Amino acid sequence: MSAGFLLCLATLFGLSAIGAPIAIAMIVAAIVYLGLTGQDLGLASEQILQGLYTSFILLAVPLFIAAANVMNAGTISDRLLRFCIALVGRFRGGLGYVNVVASLIFSGMSGSAIADAAGIGKIIIQMMTKEGRYSRGFAAAITAASATIGPIIPPSIPMVMYALVSDTSIGYLFLGGILPGLLMGLALMVIIAAIARRKNFAVETPTPLRAMPRLTLQAFPALMMPVILLFGIYGGATTPTEAAAVAAAYAFILAAVFYRTLSMRSLYGILSDSARSSAAVGLVIGGALIFNFIVASENIPATVAVMLKSIELSPIAFLLLINLLLLGLGCILDATTILLVIVPLFIPACRELGIDLVHFGVVVVVNTMIGLITPPYGILLFVINATTGIPLRAMIREIVPFFCALLVALLLITLLPELVLYLPRQFGYR
């Protein structure tokens, strides 16, 4: 590791420590490195522009963000919630199950944990805390934990980013996330069942069966979005990026034409929010591109691969070590930074050890999503705190059992690659 790179890292961590945005910290650190090593400072902008403008795959990110914002703005979320309440709300602790099932369904539309928590999560927290049926901390904890499933079940913005740095098929990554996402949902439901029995939660009034066809019909167009998305990708009709455009267009048609809940004024707000979110993500990606160029110049990935090979780690031991590392980093870094800066260091080592990159990608994304509910940087906790006013302390106290359930699911996904690879193999992955 050269002195220039050490000063580059010192600049990165120093700026981050004083509160500078991570994207700015990476770009400034890169300029420091280029200056100290006598390279052209224009390389920074060159790498950023080349990376952003030659990667067709990155177009999927703003399109999925726009689709999620349209879903949240219309009455689509409300219709999905009514359908979920009719489906699983009749059991003890029913609104807890509704929370998880709603996240499972909504994850097939947004690809973003934050969109899930801020949109449909806010609505269901209000339902759960109405008349004191559930404590505010418990409702917020379930919402934060279930929102982590959003980027596991396709579509998934983090998986798009992983595909960018690993050159892995987005289609197979999306397929690989389906069973792990369902496993995470099942793990959370088991914890809800245990807590509901111990605390003797009230049983909700069941929705009459005669109302089910009407509620299903109202939610059916929204439920078709993930079907259209996956059929387009795996039927060969669209690329994943084109599928993201189809998802955004379909969400707009549903909200504006079918449900008629989208005005020009609200559309302007949705597009503005989507542009701001996309710009923030794009800035981080740009910073990561130039930083990854520097890491490659220093030959760090190959050095890490040789070092890990020399200590003769087995693939399982390597994956467990990566889990511990990423869970620790999740406490202090956001998921985008981990995926774009840290994970590329280990891709060569995965190839050396014979670890499947689709399996590794899903394991990595699950790790980063669990990091979203891990203090002190648990961004989902801050999002829910900002949108509902529920104190962080109340959420952290209640989220521990759900965090443990997600860790158990992560361990199973790590140790049983077939959980990830079964569906991709059914569609021709080798």
Side-chain angles (χ1 to χ4, degrees):
M1 212 180 279
S2 68
F5 188 66
L6 288 174
L7 285 172
C8 172
L9 291 179
T11 304
L12 172 64
F13 291 118
L15 289 174
S16 300
I18 63 174
I22 187 66
I24 302 299
M26 283 190 288
I27 292 171
V28 172
I31 291 173
V32 169
Y33 173 85
L34 293 174
L36 289 173
T37 55
Q39 299 186 58
D40 184 3
L41 298 184
L43 270 174
S45 57
E46 180 187 340
Q47 289 297 316
I48 292 172
L49 290 174
Q50 280 187 355
L52 291 177
Y53 286 102
T54 61
S55 184
F56 182 64
I57 190 176
L58 286 179
L59 278 176
V61 175
L63 291 169
F64 282 135
I65 290 173
N69 287 340
V70 171
M71 284 288 184
N72 279 332
T75 61
I76 299 172
S77 300
D78 298 333
R79 295 169 191 271
L80 289 174
L81 270 180
R82 287 197 292 270
F83 171 74
C84 293
I85 291 169
L87 198 65
V88 295
R90 63 188 68 242
F91 306 109
R92 188 176 300 280
L95 287 181
Y97 297 119
V98 169
N99 201 321
V100 175
V101 172
S103 290
L104 285 169
I105 294 174
F106 198 74
S107 66
M109 304 173 192
S110 71
S112 166
I114 294 174
D116 191 345
I120 205 167
K122 180 182 177 181
I123 299 169
I124 199 166
I125 286 174
Q126 293 172 346
M127 294 170 56
M128 292 182 72
T129 55
K130 188 178 180 181
E131 299 173 358
R133 286 181 289 185
Y134 300 86
S135 71
R136 299 177 77 208
F138 180 74
I142 295 177
T143 302
S146 64
T148 61
I149 303 172
I152 310 302
I153 293 179
S156 168
I157 293 172
M159 285 186 184
V160 172
M161 294 180 182
Y162 172 80
L164 175 69
V165 299
S166 67
D167 198 27
T168 309
S169 163
I170 298 180
Y172 289 133
L173 281 169
F174 281 5
L175 275 177
I178 294 175
L179 292 182
L182 295 175
L183 176 64
M184 292 167 69
L186 178 62
L188 294 177
M189 288 185 184
V190 169
I191 297 299
I192 292 169
I195 294 175
R197 183 182 296 272
R198 179 167 56 85
K199 294 188 175 182
N200 196 30
F201 287 144
V203 178
E204 304 292 327
T205 304
T207 303
L209 290 177
R210 64 177 179 274
M212 278 298 295
R214 176 177 57 82
L215 292 171
T216 304
L217 186 63
Q218 289 177 348
F220 182 75
L223 294 172
M224 284 300 293
M225 179 186 273
V227 177
I228 293 171
L229 191 71
L230 295 176
F231 179 79
I233 295 173
Y234 305 116
T238 63
T239 65
T241 303
E242 291 165 347
V246 170
Y250 184 71
F252 172 77
I253 292 169
L254 277 187
V257 179
F258 192 83
Y259 294 131
R260 297 184 180 180
T261 58
L262 196 63
S263 64
M264 288 301 295
R265 190 173 195 175
S266 61
L267 178 61
Y268 176 79
I270 288 168
L271 294 178
S272 297
D273 289 343
S274 300
R276 280 192 290 269
S277 299
S278 300
V281 173
L283 196 58
V284 174
I285 292 172
L289 288 170
I290 177 59
F291 199 78
N292 287 340
F293 166 77
I294 291 170
V295 168
S297 300
E298 290 284 318
N299 208 27
I300 303 296
T303 304
V304 171
V306 170
M307 181 188 69
L308 290 173
K309 191 175 181 182
S310 67
I311 59 178
E312 298 182 353
L313 276 178
S314 68
I316 291 297
F318 172 78
L319 288 173
L320 293 175
L321 186 63
I322 291 295
N323 281 343
L324 291 174
L325 174 66
L326 295 184
L327 288 171
L329 289 174
C331 297
I332 55 174
L333 294 175
D334 66 283
T336 303
T337 306
I338 294 173
L339 285 166
L340 295 176
V341 177
I342 307 298
V343 170
L345 300 178
F346 301 108
I347 299 296
C350 288
R351 294 193 175 103
E352 288 283 345
L353 294 170
I355 295 171
D356 186 274
L357 289 183
V358 170
H359 177 225
F360 182 69
V362 174
V363 169
V364 162
V365 173
V366 172
N367 269 290
T368 57
M369 292 307 103
I370 294 176
L372 296 181
I373 60 171
T374 309
Y377 190 80
I379 189 66
L380 286 178
L381 304 180
F382 290 109
V383 167
I384 293 172
N385 169 259
T387 55
T388 65
I390 297 173
L392 289 172
R393 182 176 298 179
M395 281 187 270
I396 293 170
R397 186 170 57 246
E398 296 280 3
I399 208 168
V400 173
F402 300 108
F403 177 78
C404 294
L406 292 175
L407 287 183
V408 171
L410 171 62
L411 184 62
L412 290 174
I413 294 165
T414 303
L415 298 178
L416 302 173
E418 198 61 26
L419 278 173
V420 175
L421 299 177
Y422 175 75
L423 286 179
R425 283 173 177 159
Q426 302 310 303
F427 283 80
Y429 178 66
R430 294 291 179 268

